[in-house]
Amino acid sequence: MARHEKAVGGFVLRSGYTVEFEEDIPAMLDHLKNAILGESVAACKRKRRVSWESIAREIGAEVEHLAATMPVEIAHGLLTALLHERVIERLVTIADDLQLQVPPSTTIQ
């Protein structure tokens, strides 16, 4: 980090909105995903271009911004957490094929 840069305790979106780092990783990831989606929809509404494609482009731009601005250690941790989450989600979808019983959810849906 350059000396003139301020240390940040979270993920800073293009708008300046910050999702603070939390010990509760699943809650933090949900907050981050919701913030990215919310910022992307808001940007499309401001541009008066609300479509699946325009929102998907804004999401991509937001993710690219985060990837370019976060410290490598944070990016590594985020990738680890998100990849783990996605693989577990996939495991849940194929559990029947593997004859596995999916444990009950411990989160409120």
Side-chain angles (χ1 to χ4, degrees):
M1 179 180 337
R3 279 187 266 173
H4 66 281
E5 292 178 16
K6 180 178 148 190
V8 177
F11 302 100
V12 181
L13 278 63
R14 293 179 298 168
S15 68
Y17 180 82
T18 301
V19 175
E20 299 293 332
F21 296 142
E22 299 178 27
E23 287 185 28
D24 183 348
I25 302 300
M28 180 183 66
L29 292 177
D30 281 345
H31 185 180
L32 182 59
K33 289 186 285 188
N34 288 332
I36 291 169
L37 184 56
E39 291 288 327
S40 298
V41 170
C44 288
K45 285 181 176 181
R46 282 191 305 275
K47 296 174 184 176
R48 299 177 198 246
R49 287 188 237 148
V50 180
S51 68
W52 180 272
E53 293 81 12
S54 64
I55 294 171
R57 278 192 300 275
E58 288 294 329
I59 290 169
E62 197 68 64
V63 169
E64 286 292 326
H65 165 78
L66 287 169
T69 58
M70 72 177 67
V72 174
E73 312 80 44
I74 300 300
H76 180 265
L78 181 61
L79 173 63
T80 301
L82 289 173
L83 188 55
H84 182 263
E85 178 183 344
R86 299 305 300 180
V87 172
I88 293 298
E89 286 176 7
R90 179 64 55 155
L91 175 59
V92 168
T93 64
I94 66 168
D96 285 341
D97 295 341
L98 297 173
Q99 298 178 349
L100 298 174
Q101 184 175 351
V102 178
S105 175
T106 58
T107 60
I108 298 173
Q109 299 295 325

